[in-house]
Amino acid sequence: MTRLALVMIARDEAGAIARALESARPHVDCMIVLDTGSVDDTRAVAEACGAQVHEFAWCDDFAAARNAALAHSDARWNLVLDADEWIEGGAQALGPDTLPAEGGGFLGEVQIASRLDGAGAEGRGVAWIARVLPAGVGYVGRIHEQPASDLPTVRLPLVIGHDGYTAANLARKGARNETLLMRELAGAPEDPYLWFQLAKEHQARGRSPQAALCFVEALRLAPADVRYRHALVVRAMIALKADHRLADALALADAEVAHWLDSPDFYFVVGDLSLEAASQQPDRAMDHFLPVAESAWKRCLEIGERPELDGSIAGRGSHLAAHNLAVFYGTLGLTAEAAEYEALAARLG
């Protein structure tokens, strides 16, 4: 049997798929692409990169497509990538010392580093997702599918770049994900993960009222220890502010602060909320909101970067917080402090 296979589903990804396949080819024993109905040159490009290409009739079910692709693999391990992803670092985690030829009893979580350009979440966002699967593990879920396994997860130092959430790529994909999420929610209206994913879809497309509504519903339904809680809380605060619900955003921050004392992302957004509150309530700005904003961004720098937190944005524990402090002090006319933090932002960036 093959030790490690790359397994991918794709449709109309001729412009991106070579990047994904070329990044993986040195680290896998074979590459399998399941084409779900491309009308461009996806198949030809994949074959030119050395992949085995198979066809599949799309049925509005990502898990079904993933499982059909996995069925073509005889490998002990399967690395699951999308065409808008690529191996960015840590490929040593795919070696036989980590993934032995005889297989293993765990799911390998990898860091998905997404390029983001939406309001309030610009930069590089991190999610930890199981993408290295032992033979026999398949998927469930029509959309935002998950491995169907009770095996423990192990975080691997593999970094996967991803640009599928940029505005240009979201526009290209159209309403596909939103349509499938709505269909899934019709059958499972109490599923917080589906509400969370729908909220992110709205947020990425700049629909603040819809995003806020869906985040609030996800918060109502999600257990306190759910694995995506950090991303849910931080994104919800941003969405509530964007929907002009600042009081609700501040109330959420107060309710959650004890859980995120070591999250630069949480404090970064608290700083933004406090600055907005200062502009809306100038009578409380100097004695309350501005000091809170200042201390929140300083706390970000004390904590530093925390990429292990799901949904974290690179820079909130370093140069982005320092830049905010530089602007903050500059606005107050404190030129020495502003220059100090501007220099720090340059060093950290």
Side-chain angles (χ1 to χ4, degrees):
M1 291 181 68
T2 307
R3 186 184 68 88
L4 175 62
L6 168 69
V7 179
M8 177 185 294
I9 63 174
R11 181 171 64 179
D12 293 335
E13 294 284 3
I17 196 169
R19 175 185 61 182
L21 296 174
E22 293 297 342
S23 76
R25 183 160 60 175
H27 312 293
V28 301
D29 301 304
C30 69
M31 299 189 296
I32 297 165
V33 172
L34 190 76
D35 187 274
T36 63
S38 296
V39 296
D40 66 1
D41 292 330
T42 296
R43 182 180 184 122
V45 173
E47 289 175 338
C49 290
Q52 308 168 22
V53 181
H54 305 274
E55 294 185 359
F56 178 79
W58 180 244
C59 58
D60 287 341
D61 189 325
F62 278 92
R66 296 273 188 216
N67 292 335
L70 288 166
H72 290 286
S73 172
D74 68 349
R76 294 291 190 184
W77 296 95
N78 293 299
L79 168 64
V80 178
L81 289 184
D82 288 331
D84 57 8
E85 298 174 338
W86 63 95
I87 294 178
E88 192 171 271
Q92 69 275 7
L94 299 175
D97 290 342
T98 306
L99 308 177
E102 63 271 19
F106 66 89
L107 310 179
E109 280 193 341
V110 306
Q111 183 184 142
I112 308 294
S114 295
R115 308 300 188 262
L116 305 173
D117 56 8
E122 303 89 346
R124 174 187 168 103
V126 171
W128 289 89
I129 301 177
R131 290 291 195 84
V132 180
L133 311 180
V137 173
Y139 281 88
V140 293
R142 183 185 299 273
I143 178 72
H144 292 291
E145 62 283 3
Q146 302 290 308
S149 175
D150 293 326
L151 290 173
T153 59
V154 173
R155 285 195 170 180
L156 305 178
L158 181 67
V159 180
I160 304 298
H162 172 236
D163 61 8
Y165 291 150
T166 61
N169 280 328
L170 284 171
R172 183 173 61 85
K173 293 175 183 178
R176 179 199 65 190
N177 285 7
E178 182 181 349
T179 300
L180 293 179
L181 283 166
M182 293 296 290
R183 188 180 301 175
E184 286 289 274
L185 274 168
E190 299 294 303
D191 188 328
Y193 186 69
L194 293 175
W195 282 107
F196 174 56
Q197 293 297 340
L198 184 58
K200 291 198 298 179
E201 189 76 16
H202 287 310
Q203 191 173 52
R205 297 176 184 276
R207 303 169 187 158
S208 299
Q210 296 93 327
L213 184 152
C214 293
F215 277 126
V216 168
E217 188 66 3
L219 285 166
R220 184 182 72 83
L221 295 168
D225 61 350
V226 72
R227 62 177 178 79
Y228 53 88
R229 182 81 186 188
H230 177 261
L232 171 57
V233 169
V234 172
R235 280 179 170 265
M237 292 193 301
I238 293 170
L240 288 166
K241 175 178 177 284
D243 193 34
H244 310 292
R245 296 170 58 180
L246 183 60
D248 291 336
L250 290 168
L252 176 59
D254 286 342
E256 290 284 337
V257 63
H259 303 295
W260 308 113
L261 297 176
D262 294 315
S263 166
D265 298 88
F266 180 85
Y267 281 102
F268 189 89
V269 177
V270 167
D272 286 348
L273 298 179
S274 299
L275 192 64
E276 178 65 22
S279 71
Q280 293 186 17
Q281 301 180 51
D283 57 317
R284 299 190 61 200
M286 296 304 295
D287 67 342
H288 181 66
F289 290 120
L290 291 181
V292 171
E294 178 187 25
S295 64
W297 290 323
K298 285 186 174 180
R299 178 59 183 155
C300 293
L301 294 173
E302 292 172 0
I303 298 168
E305 296 291 281
R306 291 290 303 275
E308 71 275 17
L309 291 173
D310 192 68
S312 65
I313 299 289
R316 285 177 173 167
S318 58
H319 65 94
L320 295 178
H323 172 74
N324 279 9
L325 284 165
V327 173
F328 175 84
Y329 288 125
T331 302
L332 294 177
L334 302 172
T335 55
E337 290 87 343
E340 175 189 350
Y341 281 98
E342 196 59 55
L344 178 60
R347 291 198 303 273
L348 296 175

